[in-house]
Amino acid sequence: MVKAFDFLTIEIILILVVSNILHFFLQRLGQPSIISQILAGIMVGRTVLLNPKFSESSGNIVDYFSDVVLQARVVFMFIIGLEVDVVYLRQNISRACSIALASISACMALSLAASPLLYPLLSRDGASRLLFILTIGLFLSNSASPVLVCIATDLKLVSSKIGKLAISSAVVNDLTAVVAFFLYSLQLRRSYSAVLSNGIPGKMLDLLVWVILVSLAMLLMKWYISNVEVGCVLIVMGGIIFFMEFVGYDNKTMSFLLGLAFPRKGPTARTILDKLMFSVHSIILPLYFSGVFVNYNLNVLVGKAARKMIGIAFLVSFLSMAGKVIGTVAVTRFIFKTRLRESVVLGILLNAKGYMDIMFLSVGLRYKLWGFDTAVVLMFTIIINTFIACPVARLIVAWERRAYRYNPQSLEHLGPDNQLCVLACVHGQREVPAMLTLCTLCAGNGWSLIAVYLLHLLELTQKYAVDLMTNQKSLNNSSWENDGDDVRQVSLAADSFSQDSGLFIKQLTTLSSYKSMNEDIYMGAEEVRACLVLLPFHKEQRYDRRMVCRKDEKRQLNLKVLQHAPCTIGILVDRPVGSGMSIGMYSTTASLRSARTSTANTDLETPATVTSSGPVHQIVAIFFGGPDDREAASLLARVAPHKSVNATLVRFLPNTEDTLSRNWSSRCTSEFALITEHDMQLERDEQFLTAYQHRYVASGIVTYAERQVNSGPETVTALSSMAGMYSLFIVGKGGPHLSTPMMAGIRDWEECPELGPIGDLLASDDFMDSGSVLIMQQHKVPTNKSRIHNDILR
């Protein structure tokens, strides 16, 4: 036993070393870590170590290794279930189920059609043709969600639409395969009548006990947990999982479902992920994927019959891929109107195979449907499918990245019915309430229209640098939360807001100097496919309502982000002392609490008056014209349906006679080009406002008003009359209106040009001391020259 333990330790070390060495070279070719882990399992498994003397001296080491893998996969499957985007799965459950069931049906139909060819090639003599077709059909139709999650995580495909849809469909497919495997196992048992009379009621009782245990565990996991409590949580979860295995359920399925049912709100799930992520990806994952292939000797593919067996493997792989692609295209293309290219790629991704397929192989061996050589051929098919899925996923990443960079990422082009992805950036706890309140209002009537990522911009100081070097802390929220610093305060503030409002927030942390912090924002926006990036203003309001600048580096950061914006940028000037957005945090959560029984905790001053039916936010968008102002009006349309918002759009128009009295003959040729562009923008403004009034103003969602001004002083007077009436002003940074008489002289007073003349005026202490201001800059699609420049910068 001691000698077997020594050999087992050596094999585990060999697998970890070989997988890391292979990944060091393969990652330069764009391959995810799962490929190197599979190759390590083949190389270190029986394919390489097939030596009778070694097997005898090691005491059947492969069996011991398989037992270790069976226990390690419990933690792995729990983490996989915890990483699944349950919010997206719940919102798109009909689409995911349709894709999964269509691909399963297509694969089953192909297995039936190809059975005259596959049965003589793969089956054993005397095997039941019906059971063979059913088993092969289940093998072809399964999609391995754990494998797909690992590929998507390594290639940063989790945040893309096609990546989320692929993972959701694979989860539904995997769960369907689990149910099918359970029913299939019952059918194959010899004591089938006994199972019908005693087994199924017993299983239902066990399942009821499991539901009760999981529900009790969920009620206890709501608050922040420390390292010791993480261990206690895992012990409780492990006890539930192994109890269910004791009564006859598969521990892999139970651990995955337990992770899937784990509550996402609050810091508990995030803390468990952060604590276990390194050990899972560095140790458990290599052992898991290597253990899948360590029991199969691929040496049988070498010899005279190798070509035939490899050809059969490619044939089965082609049938599996064809079934997935046909079923996926049939649903996504003709029902959901998805592009053909995306439908085909989604079908290929769903062709990834994993542990459930090996379970079907084991069933075929146990009931003598095929021999060991056929099992090796089908195992080789699993490898082929996984290898094909990886470059396809990488191709999707390239498409998504290019589409994100060189397509409009603005609210005007997104439309009000599509989900808005917001990357809200904060420097500290003070900025969290206003940012998250604004994100909550952007959700409108439902959470399905908003996806919020809170990015904490942490400055790389000497303290954090020493901690990184000495303690080797990973860059995530929970790694720093025990220190009582800004990260813990931001995390607790976001968790408290999420519990009070119901808004699901994904928290991110970046650690860098202010000189390179803009690169982190670019990468974060591109990774989550953000359409709107919210930045805090570099000035803060004091108790005497004066705005002060704490760090000029924050202003330089905002200037850099605005210069090379990856999407629409919004700079929020918050005035918490008065009627700003931070005050609105209390109002919004209190209004939500009137509809949903929840609690809100805040220590903010003089909260706004809350009524059960009336609005508590007075929000206005100032419209002069141009793309930035259209973006401001588009954001107003997003927040207007919220029950706590009273939205108003105020359009400033020049005097008609003054507009017609322009002296065109005094313009030079270059000025004519500017006039032409100005007229084009005016035409787009009119088209935009016509559609806007038809959809929002006519239905009463937005109140519309017009103000006619002839000069800059009249514009200032009109704006000053609005002081104290609104809690949030949404304005555009600039546009063609800057050269009109309406703006004459206003730019001479600018203190912060990055806000634009109107935004700078509203943010000034001398002009207004109440009401927050949001300055919008619409994303501009880069030209060919700017594309090259931006690519060099990134």
Side-chain angles (χ1 to χ4, degrees):
M1 183 65 183
V2 176
K3 184 178 292 186
F5 178 78
D6 294 338
F7 280 111
L8 177 62
T9 305
I10 293 173
E11 181 163 358
I12 292 176
I13 294 175
L14 275 175
I15 288 177
L16 296 178
V17 172
V18 172
S19 64
N20 281 277
I21 293 175
L22 291 175
H23 183 60
F24 177 79
F25 294 101
L26 292 178
Q27 67 179 352
R28 285 159 172 75
L29 301 177
Q31 296 295 330
S33 58
I34 183 177
I35 298 298
S36 57
Q37 291 159 2
I38 290 174
L39 293 177
I42 296 173
M43 295 172 62
V44 184
R46 286 188 173 180
T47 304
V48 175
L49 302 179
L50 189 61
N51 189 326
K53 295 183 180 180
F54 182 82
S55 299
E56 293 175 2
S57 59
S58 61
N60 204 359
I61 183 176
V62 177
D63 294 336
Y64 290 125
F65 180 73
S66 299
D67 293 337
V68 173
V69 171
L70 289 177
Q71 307 308 319
R73 72 176 184 179
V74 171
V75 179
F76 165 62
M77 294 305 301
F78 177 72
I79 293 298
I80 290 295
L82 205 58
E83 285 185 322
V84 172
D85 193 344
V86 180
V87 176
Y88 182 87
L89 179 60
R90 185 170 58 248
Q91 294 170 356
N92 298 271
I93 188 65
S94 59
R95 177 172 295 190
C97 290
S98 301
I99 294 173
L101 295 178
S103 61
I104 291 174
S105 302
C107 289
M108 296 295 292
L110 277 181
S111 65
L112 179 62
S115 59
L117 176 63
L118 295 180
Y119 183 77
L121 293 175
L122 299 177
S123 67
R124 205 168 186 173
D125 294 338
S128 172
R129 179 182 289 268
L130 179 61
L131 292 179
F132 175 84
I133 295 173
L134 183 59
T135 308
I136 284 292
L138 291 173
F139 174 82
L140 297 180
S141 61
N142 183 52
S143 297
S145 56
V147 175
L148 198 55
V149 168
C150 292
I151 294 175
T153 303
D154 280 357
L155 299 180
K156 296 182 179 181
L157 193 62
V158 178
S159 300
S160 66
K161 292 182 180 179
I162 191 170
K164 289 181 178 180
L165 185 58
I167 293 174
S168 301
S169 303
V171 168
V172 175
N173 197 316
D174 230 353
L175 295 178
T176 306
V178 169
V179 175
F181 179 78
F182 175 72
L183 298 176
Y184 183 60
S185 301
L186 288 180
Q187 178 67 29
L188 289 178
R189 290 182 182 178
R190 294 182 178 179
S191 57
Y192 183 63
S193 59
V195 171
L196 285 178
S197 59
N198 300 320
I200 292 181
K203 294 292 183 183
M204 294 300 107
L205 180 61
D206 296 336
L207 185 61
L208 179 62
V209 173
W210 178 78
V211 171
I212 295 175
L213 290 176
V214 171
S215 301
L216 291 176
M218 296 301 104
L219 292 175
L220 298 176
M221 307 305 168
K222 291 184 178 180
W223 301 280
Y224 172 77
I225 53 179
S226 62
N227 293 333
V228 176
E229 291 164 336
V230 167
C232 296
V233 169
L234 293 180
I235 291 174
V236 172
M237 298 303 170
I240 296 175
I241 292 167
F242 287 112
F243 170 76
M244 298 310 300
E245 184 182 19
F246 176 76
V247 298
Y249 287 93
D250 181 33
N251 61 3
K252 165 185 171 290
T253 305
M254 290 300 105
S255 56
F256 175 75
L257 293 177
L258 201 59
L260 203 63
F262 202 89
R264 297 320 199 258
K265 294 181 181 179
T268 306
R270 186 179 65 252
T271 304
I272 293 177
L273 277 175
D274 293 339
K275 299 292 184 183
L276 298 179
M277 193 59 66
F278 177 78
S279 58
V280 167
H281 283 272
S282 300
I283 300 176
I284 294 179
L285 271 181
L287 294 181
Y288 175 80
F289 288 114
S290 301
V292 168
F293 299 96
V294 78
N295 287 310
Y296 290 86
N297 180 18
L298 298 185
N299 287 333
V300 298
L301 297 178
V302 179
K304 296 181 179 180
R307 294 184 180 179
K308 178 182 177 181
M309 299 179 70
I310 293 176
I312 295 173
F314 277 99
L315 173 62
V316 176
S317 178
F318 172 77
L319 292 175
S320 175
M321 185 181 301
K324 290 294 182 182
V325 171
I326 292 173
T328 304
V329 170
V331 172
T332 57
R333 178 65 176 170
F334 299 106
I335 298 180
F336 300 115
K337 307 302 180 183
T338 308
R339 290 184 297 178
L340 180 61
R341 184 179 68 177
E342 294 182 356
S343 301
V344 172
V345 167
L346 180 60
I348 297 176
L349 277 181
L350 292 176
N351 195 39
K353 303 296 181 182
Y355 190 83
M356 206 65 212
D357 303 274
I358 300 176
M359 299 291 288
F360 290 122
L361 294 185
S362 302
V363 168
L365 286 173
R366 185 185 310 167
Y367 295 99
K368 299 181 180 180
L369 298 177
W370 49 64
F372 185 79
D373 291 349
T374 300
V376 173
V377 171
L378 296 179
M379 179 63 66
F380 189 63
T381 301
I382 297 175
I383 299 175
I384 294 173
N385 290 339
T386 306
F387 271 71
I388 292 175
C390 293
V392 170
R394 182 171 174 80
L395 183 63
I396 296 174
V397 171
W399 287 347
E400 293 276 347
R401 186 172 299 170
R402 184 173 182 84
Y404 180 80
R405 290 183 179 179
Y406 304 132
N407 286 326
Q409 304 297 329
S410 61
L411 278 72
E412 180 185 359
H413 295 88
L414 180 66
D417 299 325
N418 297 320
Q419 187 184 60
L420 173 64
C421 183
V422 181
L423 181 67
C425 304
V426 296
H427 297 281
Q429 185 271 341
R430 180 188 179 95
E431 299 149 354
V432 173
M435 285 291 184
L436 295 185
T437 299
L438 181 58
C439 293
T440 302
L441 298 181
C442 289
N445 285 328
W447 299 128
S448 61
L449 295 179
I450 190 75
V452 180
Y453 295 84
L454 183 66
L455 178 62
H456 185 188
L457 303 174
L458 197 61
E459 183 184 6
L460 180 60
T461 60
Q462 184 177 3
K463 172 183 178 296
Y464 290 118
V466 171
D467 286 341
L468 281 173
M469 295 179 63
T470 57
N471 299 331
Q472 296 296 316
K473 292 185 178 182
S474 59
L475 187 54
N476 51 56
N477 287 352
S478 64
S479 298
W480 304 96
E481 283 177 351
N482 292 330
D483 295 340
D485 54 11
D486 292 340
V487 180
R488 177 177 174 82
Q489 296 175 10
V490 169
S491 178
L492 292 178
D495 291 333
S496 176
F497 188 94
S498 178
Q499 292 177 3
D500 291 341
S501 65
L503 178 66
F504 182 72
I505 305 167
K506 294 184 179 179
Q507 299 185 40
L508 307 172
T509 305
T510 179
L511 181 63
S512 60
S513 63
Y514 279 108
K515 292 182 179 180
S516 60
M517 198 172 285
N518 60 309
E519 299 294 334
D520 295 330
I521 297 176
Y522 298 152
M523 294 174 60
E526 187 173 295
E527 184 174 342
V528 303
R529 276 71 176 178
C531 187
L532 173 63
V533 171
L534 294 177
L535 297 172
F537 189 46
H538 66 277
K539 290 185 178 181
E540 301 174 359
Q541 189 180 36
R542 297 187 311 194
Y543 65 93
D544 58 354
R545 301 195 176 190
R546 303 294 296 178
M547 302 293 289
V548 294
C549 178
R550 305 292 185 185
K551 284 188 177 182
D552 189 64
E553 291 86 350
K554 296 181 180 179
R555 181 185 183 185
Q556 300 302 321
L557 172 64
N558 291 348
L559 289 172
K560 290 180 182 179
V561 175
L562 288 171
Q563 186 177 3
H564 303 287
C567 60
T568 292
I569 303 296
I571 297 181
L572 180 61
V573 182
D574 183 37
R575 291 190 173 107
V577 184
S579 58
M581 292 303 295
S582 295
I583 299 300
M585 175 187 178
Y586 181 88
S587 305
T588 302
T589 54
S591 179
L592 291 169
R593 185 175 55 227
S594 64
R596 299 184 302 267
T597 305
S598 60
T599 57
N601 297 321
T602 181
D603 56 353
L604 300 172
E605 307 173 18
T606 59
T609 304
V610 181
T611 62
S612 59
S613 58
V616 295
H617 288 283
Q618 301 291 334
I619 300 179
V620 62
I622 309 298
F623 191 93
F624 286 89
D628 294 343
D629 285 5
R630 292 197 298 269
E631 200 73 356
S634 299
L635 183 63
L636 182 70
R638 284 272 178 175
V639 304
H642 198 281
K643 61 183 178 181
S644 301
V645 170
N646 188 0
T648 304
L649 177 65
V650 178
R651 185 184 186 187
F652 281 72
L653 292 171
N655 184 281
T656 307
E657 297 179 357
D658 180 70
T659 303
L660 296 176
S661 63
R662 295 176 181 173
N663 187 4
W664 300 93
S665 60
S666 63
R667 309 279 182 171
C668 62
T669 306
S670 60
E671 290 177 323
F672 274 116
L674 292 176
I675 293 171
T676 303
E677 175 65 24
H678 176 71
D679 292 339
M680 291 175 59
Q681 291 295 337
L682 285 178
E683 184 178 357
R684 292 194 62 182
D685 290 342
E686 294 299 330
Q687 295 174 354
F688 175 82
L689 287 176
T690 301
Y692 197 92
Q693 292 179 3
H694 177 73
R695 177 161 186 171
Y696 300 105
V697 179
S699 59
I701 300 176
V702 176
T703 303
Y704 179 77
E706 292 183 352
R707 299 274 184 101
Q708 286 194 351
V709 292
N710 297 323
S711 62
E714 290 187 12
T715 302
V716 174
T717 303
L719 290 173
S720 62
S721 65
M722 302 167 66
M725 297 173 57
Y726 301 97
S727 59
L728 177 64
F729 294 83
I730 308 177
V731 300
K733 177 187 174 184
H737 62 275
L738 297 181
S739 58
T740 60
M742 293 187 298
M743 307 299 296
I746 296 181
R747 305 198 71 174
D748 299 337
W749 306 338
E750 277 186 329
E751 181 183 357
C752 301
E754 67 271 17
L755 302 183
I758 301 300
D760 180 76
L761 183 66
L762 295 175
S764 173
D765 293 331
D766 300 327
F767 185 80
M768 186 182 299
D769 61 359
S770 64
S772 299
V773 184
L774 179 64
I775 297 90
M776 303 291 291
Q777 176 184 281
Q778 188 181 73
H779 176 241
K780 299 176 180 61
V781 180
T783 60
N784 291 332
K785 291 183 179 180
S786 59
R787 287 180 183 183
I788 299 174
H789 179 65
N790 289 343
D791 288 339
I792 292 175
L793 289 177
R794 296 181 185 180

